[in-house]
Amino acid sequence: MKITDFLEMNNKPKEFKYKNYIWKQPEGMNIYLNEASIDFETYLASVQICDLGRSFTEVLNDEIEIIEDAPKGIELLDIKFDGYNTYYLLNEYGTKCTLSKHDKIIAEQQNEIAKAVNYLLKRCDKDEC
């Protein structure tokens, strides 16, 4: 993403990478700082434009890499059995949602996919990707 596009965003991410620095937005602040506590806009103006002699337009067209929070995992569906040959899920209000045979099969398959994704996410957290 170009810096110009980033600056125009309404909901900016909490962190991004630019010129081998990780820039983070401290809680409750409207600025981005790197590891040395240098403000991103100050860095652009003083280092990239003044020190390196780059044009303002050239700097604004530089690319930044948005750093997304890694997903924690997919929650499994809690398929319950009432003892009378009926399977169900509880919705967010605690109401039983009865599952047909086909719905139960789909819910079980969804859980299998979620388990596989969660396994891969755990491996990636350990840098085994």
Side-chain angles (χ1 to χ4, degrees):
M1 164 182 291
K2 291 184 180 182
I3 291 177
T4 53
D5 298 330
F6 172 75
L7 295 174
E8 292 173 358
M9 289 175 71
N10 289 329
N11 296 321
K12 292 182 175 61
K14 295 291 181 198
E15 58 186 85
F16 62 90
K17 185 175 182 179
Y18 175 70
K19 298 292 182 188
N20 295 323
Y21 291 108
I22 302 294
W23 300 87
K24 296 181 181 183
Q25 186 178 39
E27 191 68 36
M29 299 180 77
N30 206 17
I31 61 172
Y32 288 88
L33 302 173
N34 67 7
E35 298 88 14
S37 296
I38 298 172
D39 175 48
F40 179 64
E41 292 176 8
T42 302
Y43 176 80
L44 291 179
S46 64
V47 175
Q48 293 297 312
I49 295 174
C50 294
D51 294 348
L52 298 177
R54 299 177 67 207
S55 73
F56 184 69
T57 306
E58 188 179 21
V59 170
L60 289 179
N61 284 320
D62 281 353
E63 294 285 326
I64 64 171
E65 178 186 341
I66 303 296
I67 299 173
E68 301 280 332
D69 289 336
K72 304 293 186 245
I74 301 172
E75 189 175 332
L76 300 178
L77 296 174
D78 187 13
I79 304 168
K80 299 187 180 291
F81 181 67
D82 69 359
Y84 297 106
N85 235 2
T86 304
Y87 291 90
Y88 64 94
L89 298 172
L90 294 177
N91 67 14
E92 60 193 67
Y93 306 108
T95 307
K96 285 184 180 181
C97 299
T98 304
L99 300 174
S100 69
K101 289 180 183 179
H102 297 292
D103 291 338
K104 179 183 173 280
I105 292 169
I106 291 170
E108 289 171 339
Q109 289 174 341
Q110 182 176 334
N111 278 347
E112 291 303 313
I113 293 169
K115 287 176 188 175
V117 169
N118 291 342
Y119 171 75
L120 292 173
L121 288 171
K122 282 182 186 176
R123 285 190 58 200
C124 285
D125 280 348
K126 296 176 185 175
D127 291 330
E128 297 176 9
C129 303

